[in-house]
Amino acid sequence: MEPWEWSEAEWRRRVNQVRAGRSLKPARWPGGKRCAVALSFDSDHETNELRDGGISVGRMSWGQYGNRVGVPKILEILRRENVPATFFVPAVAALLYPDEQRRVVAEGHEIGLHGWIHELNSVLPEPVERDLHFRAADTLTTITGMRPEGMRTPSWDFSPATLKIQRELGLLYDSSLMADNDPYELLEDGKPTGIVELPVEWIRDDAPYFNMNRFQALRPYTPPTAVLDIFLREFEGAYAENGLFLLTMHPHVTGYRSRLFILEELIRAAKAKGDCWFATHAEIARHCADQGGIAR
């Protein structure tokens, strides 16, 4: 059947598979802070090319830049500013660079699930998707010594089975969906799941502004100063609403000399307010769950 031929029951069923439930935006952040700042980095590295079965050495070298230059520069900024962050890492990238993951954890940051090889969940049969997520969780646990508490699906591609698999994994939070600016509880078929959603948005992601693919006529069109302006406006809005500012960046995208200042300026702007809480995604999700009365 074509979509316009669906019954009301069918299109409601599809809509209600995964929905935003009650808001989990807390009345106050720890220490009486006004705004929570969640910096995240998707360390995709070579998996962007590998997941498509690609053989482009050039694109894989671009991914290697993320490990060789991007992550070290980002970690240095975070160390200098004494700010925690969350790194979402495909298992294949973690296997390629296990020392990177151990360094990230040793320096006080969180590592979250980001698929096996940056696959697209929505094209996978449910058993395959489940196997890949569980294998990824086991791999990151073996490498870092810490079981991941949250997931960001690769490319934010969330299948009808993803939430069920996250519940089977016992995850605290997801950070792949976009139904709000602030944290909320995920519903599955209308029922509360206890999983905290820390919502993302392409507006607060560096990739749409900077990515390039010369074979698809995709060219960067936004100067770094304009991207900083957009991110700062998003932050100011979150601060005004006592909410969450969550930013997604990629080491192989932002980790360049002309772009790293964006991260530095954002951190400085938030610090200048004097009442922002910098935290990992897991810390923010845990606080929201506790304030919302979600039993863990």
Side-chain angles (χ1 to χ4, degrees), residues 155-167:
S155 302
W156 305 345
D157 190 44
F158 205 100
S159 84
T162 303
L163 181 54
K164 179 166 64 172
I165 296 168
Q166 291 177 337
R167 295 180 70 184

Side-chain angles (χ1 to χ4, degrees), residues 24-203:
L24 292 175
K25 177 182 174 182
R28 60 180 57 83
W29 298 104
K33 301 294 186 181
R34 177 165 180 168
C35 178
V37 177
L39 302 176
S40 59
F41 302 91
D42 293 1
S43 299
D44 302 332
H45 302 340
E46 289 89 341
T47 62
N48 281 309
E49 179 68 4
L50 293 173
R51 71 105 179 267
D52 294 325
I55 59 173
S56 171
V57 174
R59 285 184 63 81
M60 282 191 271
S61 72
W62 180 40
Q64 187 180 11
Y65 182 93
N67 162 261
R68 188 181 178 92
V69 180
V71 170
K73 285 185 174 292
I74 288 167
L75 287 175
E76 174 56 28
I77 292 171
L78 297 176
R79 183 201 62 78
R80 186 170 65 244
E81 297 292 342
N82 192 29
V83 166
T86 298
F87 290 73
F88 292 98
V89 188
V92 167
L95 288 166
L96 283 168
Y97 305 109
D99 288 344
E100 174 189 295
Q101 318 320 317
R102 297 185 187 109
R103 178 183 173 186
V104 166
V105 170
E107 295 189 13
H109 308 295
E110 176 194 5
I111 288 184
L113 290 165
H114 200 44
W116 176 258
I117 197 168
H118 211 270
E119 64 278 357
L120 296 179
N121 293 329
S122 63
V123 303
L124 298 175
E126 182 177 331
V128 175
E129 182 184 355
R130 177 178 290 102
D131 174 63
L132 293 177
H133 286 315
F134 272 83
R135 284 166 55 193
D138 290 344
T139 297
L140 293 184
T141 302
T142 298
I143 290 173
T144 68
M146 300 181 67
R147 190 78 175 174
E149 296 185 80
M151 176 188 294
R152 172 169 292 157
T153 57
S155 302
W156 305 345
D157 190 44
F158 205 100
S159 84
T162 303
L163 181 54
K164 179 166 64 172
I165 296 168
Q166 291 177 337
R167 295 180 70 184
E168 293 171 5
L169 282 164
L171 297 184
L172 166 67
Y173 74 89
D174 175 74
S175 186
S176 316
L177 302 177
M178 313 181 201
D180 204 321
N181 292 309
D182 294 307
Y184 57 88
E185 183 176 9
L186 288 176
L187 302 180
E188 185 175 35
D189 295 323
K191 298 177 181 178
T193 64
I195 293 181
V196 179
E197 179 63 36
L198 302 180
V200 292
E201 224 302 318
W202 294 112
I203 295 170

Side-chain angles (χ1 to χ4, degrees), residues 247-260:
L247 183 68
T248 302
M249 306 183 93
H250 299 76
H252 69 286
V253 174
T254 284
Y256 290 88
R257 293 163 177 160
S258 61
R259 297 174 182 170
L260 279 165

Side-chain angles (χ1 to χ4, degrees), residues 238-296:
Y239 184 82
E241 297 173 2
N242 292 18
L244 168 67
F245 174 70
L246 188 153
L247 183 68
T248 302
M249 306 183 93
H250 299 76
H252 69 286
V253 174
T254 284
Y256 290 88
R257 293 163 177 160
S258 61
R259 297 174 182 170
L260 279 165
F261 82 96
I262 296 173
L263 175 61
E264 294 174 308
E265 289 296 323
L266 281 168
I267 293 173
R268 289 168 187 159
K271 282 190 169 183
K273 297 289 189 184
D275 54 358
C276 288
W277 178 45
F278 289 87
T280 67
H281 283 44
E283 290 171 332
I284 291 171
R286 196 172 297 113
H287 179 73
C288 291
D290 290 344
Q291 295 295 304
I294 293 177
R296 302 303 306 170

